């Protein structure tokens, strides 16, 4: 069973920054960050594919940056989401997702079969 563990959530004032991390106990070709607020569906925020190609939802372009580090033996990887100039509407539970093969690194949740537990980010005005 692949495990994804997020960290870095918390409270921040609008305009501030926060960096989320997701530790995976294996290398995944595609990884992504999704977010969800109560009463709404899960939204793809940022994703990274096999060739480190990245995608972002329009609302975070220019503010968020996704990246990852892979261990030398490719047995572990860490996914990051650097969030700058945060807005109140960025408040959500952020969840890391991964897929090991046959993926494109897109923002659709159906592409990913492995999910973390999520970490809350709260942006106050």
């Amino acid at each position: 069973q692949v495990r994804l563990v997020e960290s870095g959530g918390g409270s921040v004032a609008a305009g501030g920054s926060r960096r989320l991390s997701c530790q995976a106990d294996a290398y995944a070709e595609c990884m992504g960050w999704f977010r969800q607020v109560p009463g709404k569906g899960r939204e793809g925020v940022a994703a990274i594919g096999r060739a480190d190609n990245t995608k972002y939802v329009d609302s975070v372009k220019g503010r968020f940056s996704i990246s990852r580090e892979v261990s030398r033996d490719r047995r572990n990887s860490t996914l990051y989401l650097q969030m700058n100039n945060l807005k109140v509407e960025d408040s959500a539970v952020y969840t890391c997702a991964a897929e090991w093969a046959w993926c494109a690194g897109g923002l659709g949740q159906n592409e990913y079969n492995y999910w973390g537990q999520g970490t809350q980010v709260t942006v106050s005005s």
Side-chain angles (χ1 to χ4, degrees):
Q1 182 72 21
V2 174
R3 199 165 67 122
L4 301 172
V5 180
E6 301 98 336
S7 61
S11 298
V12 60
S17 297
R18 201 86 186 176
R19 188 174 82 155
L20 303 182
S21 299
C22 173
Q23 182 69 40
D25 59 4
Y27 169 74
E29 287 194 349
C30 301
M31 299 185 78
W33 287 99
F34 291 75
R35 65 186 180 187
Q36 189 169 21
V37 297
K40 291 190 176 182
R42 185 180 283 165
E43 175 186 47
V45 176
I48 188 165
R50 185 191 323 167
D52 285 344
N53 47 299
T54 58
K55 285 186 179 179
Y56 298 91
V57 67
D58 285 346
S59 61
V60 307
K61 286 180 180 177
R63 301 188 297 121
F64 289 14
S65 178
I66 189 171
S67 62
R68 67 176 160 194
E69 292 179 353
V70 181
S71 63
R72 284 189 176 185
D73 60 8
R74 296 176 79 82
R75 297 181 68 176
N76 295 283
S77 56
T78 304
L79 182 72
Y80 300 101
L81 184 67
Q82 178 65 45
M83 305 184 293
N84 298 325
N85 190 21
L86 282 161
K87 303 177 179 181
V88 173
E89 52 265 39
D90 293 321
S91 298
V93 174
Y94 285 74
T95 305
C96 169
E99 182 54 52
W100 264 248
W102 304 106
C103 56
L107 298 177
Q109 59 179 320
N110 290 336
E111 184 173 337
Y112 302 89
N113 283 310
Y114 300 94
W115 295 83
Q117 294 299 308
T119 185
Q120 175 72 46
V121 174
T122 302
V123 184
S124 58
S125 59

